[in-house]
Amino acid sequence: MSKNKFLDLIEKQRKEKKREKFKGTFMEYLDLIEKNPDSADLAHRRLYKSIVEKGTRKIEESDPRYTSFFQKENTNIYDYFADYFFGNEKVISKFMRYLKSASAKGEESRQVLLLMGPVGAGKSALVDHIKRSMESKPVYAIEGCPINEEPLHLLPRSLRSKFEDILGVKIEGDLCPVCRHRLMEEYNGQYEKMGVVEKSISIRGRTGIAVVPPVDANTQDTSMLIGVQDISKLDLYSEDDPRTLTLNGAFNKGNRGIVEFVEVFKNEIEFLHTIITATQEKAVPSPGSNAMIYFDGVILSHCNEAEWNRFKSEHTNEAILDRIVKIDVPYSLEVDQEIKIYQKMIGMSDFRDVHIAPHTLKIAAMFAVISRMEESQKCDLVTKMKIYNGEEVIERGRVKKIDVKDLRDEFEREGMGGISTRFIMKSIDAALSDSENETITPISMMKALINQVKDQITDNNFKSQCLDIIQKMVRDEYLKILENEIAKAFISAYEEQARSIFESYLDNAEAFTTNNTVRNRITKEERKPDERFMKSIESAIGITGAARDGFRSDVTAYMFAKMRKGENVDYTSYAPLKDAIEAYLISSVKDIARIVTKSKTRDDDQKKRYSEMMRVLIEDYGYNENSAEEVITYASNNIWRDS
Ligand SMILES: Nc1ncnc2c1ncn2[C@@H]1O[C@H](COP(=O)(O)OP(=O)(O)O)[C@@H](O)[C@H]1O
Ligand SMILES: [Mg+2]
């Protein structure tokens, strides 16, 4: 039974794979092109289309990132990248703009694209993803051609403009020496009889995609780029006979698609000249003594900033610089996007099943983002981080008004340095492998980050800066988040109490404002407003002295206005009062927190409330038993220390 199931799968796949690939004569190919001129697209356009066809959209103006990140520019978002890349939409959009004009055969098609940025900014990952978009796309090539060249090259120059009119395509490029030789020797010049085959672009098969890793000067040899002349064949053939050629260099294999140069400036200058020729003249030298060979491909390269600066400063490199379209690839400066990067990487790792407590990745992301930012006069780094992340920053009851564009424009290089994604992934890995119960928490994350900083960062200045960020800024932010969260979980265990505090505060405040007495809801007894009670609530959010009267009348006016409109009011209706009630209740959290560490004082009621709070943390907020205990203990030691 199961054997047949497997066999079925195998056969089914084999059948599907057998979608008929085109194989025919040049004449049949001309028919094909007449029906479908796109098949003769050049590499840049082929690549552009293969990305665009996956879908595009505009960033919506209602999206907070429209302002905080895109600076109100109507940027295109490409679906092909959207599930894998986060926070570098601007890089992608610049790249696509380059490709678009290159596909229109603009000057850009004769330029090398260079992605420049710090390690771990995603340059290699981007180029990989770009290459993959072309995979399994068909290209048509002269049968047997070592560089898979476009069959239209078979048409003699004198006939080309006529064919261009009929077919609706531009024909450029000359036949490679191998095909030219075969045309003459085997087909007697009758190109219409030569064969054409359909091939699939493939990274592993090195069809239409080639990668050139950096090589050291000693082993550097242009044969890596343009192939070799096989010396052993010189016994059989003359020196200019194309049958002596082995065209397996990167420009040969990557013809019709992409040639990638990894860390391009690690190569010797001589090596780079071939790249320039390939773009400028759309041709590469042939090994041996043959003519140049036409090349149609997208050249993608990447490097880091130090390499770029070194290269740029060399006077002799001007010609090459002129041929480069550089796109900066900075790190993300948005906490939420940075978190998505980690989530993606964890999802792909062996750690995808461990428990990651709430805010854990945020801790790492905050650290990374702050380490990448420049100090501004306009606000502190934590505020800047929040503004970049599209958050409203509230200070003393007001939304802080800082223009995100002003901040962004202040430092051009911001995001080109600081902590890398790889550094963070290493810390996450360390935290995970140190964990005893397959759990990581913000606390173990901070510990792991501190250890990594101490171990890995050699620059003492940067090291102490980093420790400062983690131990002060990130830690403080976390304590605020945690306090808020535990308070919320705690309040839901005290919902009833919050309600009754609210009612009684409102009764008292109204009586105070209208110079009346308060009637007890149960005993109907009339009493003067309870000054002590009101003060204890108000002081929880720092309202003292003369400000109290105003607060009381504000609350009363607000609530009664609502009630007159027939709306329900409860303790959450008026934000300042809600804050006050919660803060008032939170002072009791101290007791709960203490119970965790000093269990002898736990009575039944406290036990009940504690377990209710645990339940909320676990069921509503996504903690597990271990992580919830850990953060509560942390809070009790750091927020609600014995006072
Ligand atoms: N903006 C981003 N979106 C998604 N993943 C990213 C991003 N930046 C970096 N990464 C991930 O970080 C890792 C390191 O990136 P890599 O491409 O090797 O960097 P580089 O080549 O720039 O040194 C990769 O796994 C990559 O997927
Ligand atoms: Mg890389």
Side-chain angles (χ1 to χ4, degrees):
M1 169 62 198
S2 79
K3 205 170 187 178
N4 285 340
K5 193 171 70 188
F6 294 138
L7 201 60
D8 283 352
L9 278 175
I10 292 168
E11 279 174 354
K12 187 161 169 266
Q13 193 254 5
R14 199 168 284 153
K15 253 191 228 134
E16 275 169 9
K17 238 186 152 167
K18 272 220 182 99
R19 178 191 75 83
E20 267 177 56
K21 280 200 169 160
F22 175 89
K23 191 170 179 345
T25 61
F26 181 59
M27 293 309 292
E28 287 165 313
Y29 176 67
L30 288 174
D31 284 341
L32 185 149
I33 293 297
E34 190 174 14
K35 286 190 203 104
N36 188 5
D38 290 2
S39 300
D41 278 347
L42 296 181
H44 288 87
R45 182 176 310 192
R46 200 186 291 281
L47 176 58
Y48 180 70
K49 282 183 183 165
S50 76
I51 294 171
V52 168
E53 74 183 18
K54 311 277 195 320
T56 63
R57 64 195 159 85
K58 291 267 184 219
I59 175 78
E60 297 194 11
E61 293 187 18
S62 58
D63 190 322
R65 297 186 70 219
Y66 175 70
T67 306
S68 68
F69 180 71
F70 292 99
Q71 287 160 17
K72 304 194 177 170
E73 270 176 40
N74 255 323
T75 314
N76 267 327
I77 308 285
Y78 296 87
D79 291 350
Y80 180 63
F81 295 96
D83 291 340
Y84 300 94
F85 292 92
F86 310 100
N88 54 9
E89 291 90 344
K90 278 192 255 179
V91 171
I92 291 165
S93 128
K94 281 182 199 156
F95 171 72
M96 292 304 288
R97 218 176 300 149
Y98 154 84
L99 260 193
K100 189 177 181 183
S101 52
S103 4
K105 298 216 188 88
E107 178 57 19
E108 255 95 346
S109 70
R110 290 171 186 265
Q111 304 265 329
V112 178
L113 188 101
L114 174 72
L115 299 177
M116 189 277 278
V119 289
K123 304 180 294 296
S124 303
L126 264 176
V127 173
D128 273 348
H129 201 63
I130 291 165
K131 287 188 296 189
R132 221 166 300 136
S133 78
M134 278 192 125
E135 268 212 303
S136 65
K137 290 271 170 198
V139 277
Y140 298 92
I142 297 175
E143 189 172 18
C145 174
I147 64 167
N148 296 315
E149 76 180 306
E150 167 60 60
L152 293 174
H153 291 177
L154 288 165
L155 287 169
R157 290 268 163 190
S158 53
L159 267 180
R160 283 194 182 178
S161 68
K162 283 214 178 68
F163 272 88
E164 283 181 346
D165 287 346
I166 301 169
L167 299 173
V169 298
K170 283 293 280 176
I171 303 170
E172 73 170 47
D174 293 311
L175 218 45
C176 83
V178 176
C179 290
R180 178 177 306 281
H181 185 265
R182 285 184 55 219
L183 173 62
M184 292 310 165
E185 299 294 312
E186 293 171 34
Y187 291 87
N188 228 337
Q190 292 181 299
Y191 55 85
E192 68 278 14
K193 292 194 175 144
M194 277 186 88
V196 172
V197 289
E198 177 187 336
K199 293 201 156 183
S200 299
I201 292 198
S202 153
I203 297 174
R204 275 207 290 177
R206 282 188 95 213
T207 308
I209 292 180
V211 181
V212 185
V215 269
D216 72 74
N218 300 324
T219 57
Q220 203 157 66
D221 179 346
T222 46
S223 68
M224 264 189 81
L225 302 182
I226 60 167
V228 285
Q229 185 162 42
D230 188 342
I231 299 171
S232 69
K233 289 195 177 143
L234 288 178
D235 296 344
L236 292 169
Y237 309 116
S238 70
E239 199 177 339
D240 58 0
D241 191 314
R243 283 171 292 186
T244 61
L245 301 181
T246 307
L247 295 180
N248 63 355
F251 282 112
N252 310 130
K253 291 293 179 184
N255 189 34
R256 314 294 301 277
I258 295 173
V259 180
E260 173 189 4
F261 285 86
V262 178
E263 301 179 32
V264 61
F265 297 127
K266 290 217 166 88
N267 294 303
E268 288 295 294
I269 297 296
E270 283 65 37
F271 203 63
L272 299 175
H273 282 299
T274 314
I275 305 181
I276 299 312
T277 319
T279 50
Q280 208 158 352
E281 295 167 34
K282 288 202 88 172
V284 291
S286 158
S289 55
N290 275 284
M292 300 278 281
I293 300 175
Y294 173 79
F295 168 74
D296 166 40
V298 182
I299 303 178
L300 297 180
S301 60
H302 36 109
C303 73
N304 66 38
E305 199 170 24
E307 286 158 3
W308 166 253
N309 286 335
R310 197 173 330 114
F311 184 80
K312 200 175 52 167
S313 65
E314 289 270 342
H315 194 59
T316 47
N317 293 333
E318 268 164 15
I320 300 180
L321 284 167
D322 210 37
R323 290 281 144 196
I324 290 175
V325 175
K326 175 170 76 75
I327 297 178
D328 288 356
V329 186
Y331 292 131
S332 170
L333 294 174
E334 295 168 285
V335 170
D336 288 347
Q337 302 305 312
E338 185 73 9
I339 292 173
K340 287 185 191 162
I341 300 176
Y342 308 154
Q343 282 168 335
K344 172 189 92 169
M345 291 165 97
I346 291 169
M348 296 189 307
S349 75
D350 294 341
F351 292 123
R352 61 184 165 265
D353 295 327
V354 294
H355 170 71
I356 298 176
H359 318 300
T360 302
L361 299 182
K362 183 165 186 174
I363 294 296
M366 289 196 293
F367 166 53
V369 166
I370 295 175
S371 80
R372 298 165 184 171
M373 293 188 322
E374 308 280 343
E375 298 256 12
S376 168
Q377 298 292 323
K378 301 185 205 302
C379 61
D380 62 86
L381 288 174
V382 173
T383 305
K384 191 171 181 179
M385 170 191 86
K386 289 180 182 168
I387 292 176
Y388 279 1
N389 200 35
E391 296 168 35
E392 282 194 337
V393 179
I394 300 187
E395 224 176 62
R396 288 184 215 98
R398 294 218 161 137
V399 176
K400 206 164 177 162
K401 284 223 163 54
I402 295 180
D403 187 32
V404 62
K405 194 167 180 327
D406 285 349
L407 283 179
R408 289 241 179 224
D409 290 347
E410 208 173 356
F411 302 99
E412 207 182 300
R413 268 196 77 259
E414 198 166 46
M416 296 298 276
I419 290 293
S420 79
T421 37
R422 283 210 199 100
F423 182 99
I424 299 295
M425 282 316 290
K426 268 193 249 164
S427 312
I428 293 176
D429 279 353
L432 287 171
S433 19
D434 283 349
S435 144
E436 279 162 25
N437 38 32
E438 301 278 286
T439 293
I440 53 167
T441 63
I443 297 128
S444 61
M445 189 70 242
M446 282 190 277
K447 233 182 267 168
L449 288 172
I450 289 169
N451 288 338
Q452 286 286 322
V453 167
K454 287 183 177 161
D455 281 3
Q456 307 278 324
I457 296 180
T458 44
D459 178 316
N460 278 328
N461 214 352
F462 187 50
K463 185 188 285 194
S464 69
Q465 237 172 301
C466 284
L467 290 175
D468 230 45
I469 296 172
I470 304 167
Q471 290 165 328
K472 299 214 178 90
M473 302 181 209
V474 172
R475 182 175 173 277
D476 279 2
E477 251 332 275
Y478 175 58
L479 287 177
K480 278 186 216 155
I481 294 170
L482 182 60
E483 178 169 22
N484 230 318
E485 185 168 73
I486 293 183
K488 288 223 184 83
F490 178 73
I491 302 288
S492 79
Y494 276 78
E495 191 88 55
E496 217 173 299
Q497 202 166 331
R499 242 194 316 268
S500 86
I501 292 174
F502 168 70
E503 281 171 2
S504 132
Y505 183 85
L506 195 55
D507 289 349
N508 278 286
E510 189 208 353
F512 174 85
T513 310
T514 56
N515 242 325
N516 260 315
T517 50
V518 184
R519 183 208 283 253
N520 186 300
R521 288 185 187 226
I522 297 153
T523 62
K524 314 282 182 213
E525 201 182 325
E526 302 276 344
R527 281 180 48 189
K528 273 178 48 170
D530 184 346
E531 192 61 31
R532 240 187 76 198
F533 166 71
M534 285 190 288
K535 276 185 187 165
S536 65
I537 306 283
E538 290 148 2
S539 63
I541 53 164
I543 294 169
T544 53
R548 285 190 205 119
D549 295 11
F551 185 75
R552 289 171 196 176
S553 64
D554 282 355
V555 169
T556 310
Y558 184 87
M559 294 298 175
F560 284 94
K562 266 187 131 71
M563 284 193 259
R564 265 197 303 279
K565 279 189 256 167
E567 290 173 37
N568 280 333
V569 296
D570 63 19
Y571 83 93
T572 62
S573 300
Y574 185 59
L577 182 58
K578 170 176 175 277
D579 288 350
I581 293 175
E582 286 184 353
Y584 174 78
L585 278 171
I586 286 163
S587 47
S588 333
V589 173
K590 281 186 188 170
D591 301 336
I592 294 291
R594 248 179 243 118
I595 293 159
V596 183
T597 40
K598 301 168 190 160
S599 59
K600 4 173 212 192
T601 62
R602 199 184 292 184
D603 64 27
D604 279 353
D605 179 55
Q606 287 167 323
K607 257 191 229 160
K608 214 180 91 210
R609 292 196 165 160
Y610 174 70
S611 65
E612 171 62 10
M613 176 178 66
M614 283 290 277
R615 188 194 64 74
V616 173
L617 285 177
I618 292 167
E619 287 176 16
D620 298 349
Y621 294 162
Y623 287 89
N624 69 9
E625 200 97 12
N626 289 323
S627 61
E629 294 248 11
E630 190 174 337
V631 300
I632 291 171
T633 310
Y634 187 75
S636 75
N637 292 334
N638 294 280
I639 306 174
W640 303 295
R641 263 195 297 254
D642 282 341
S643 48

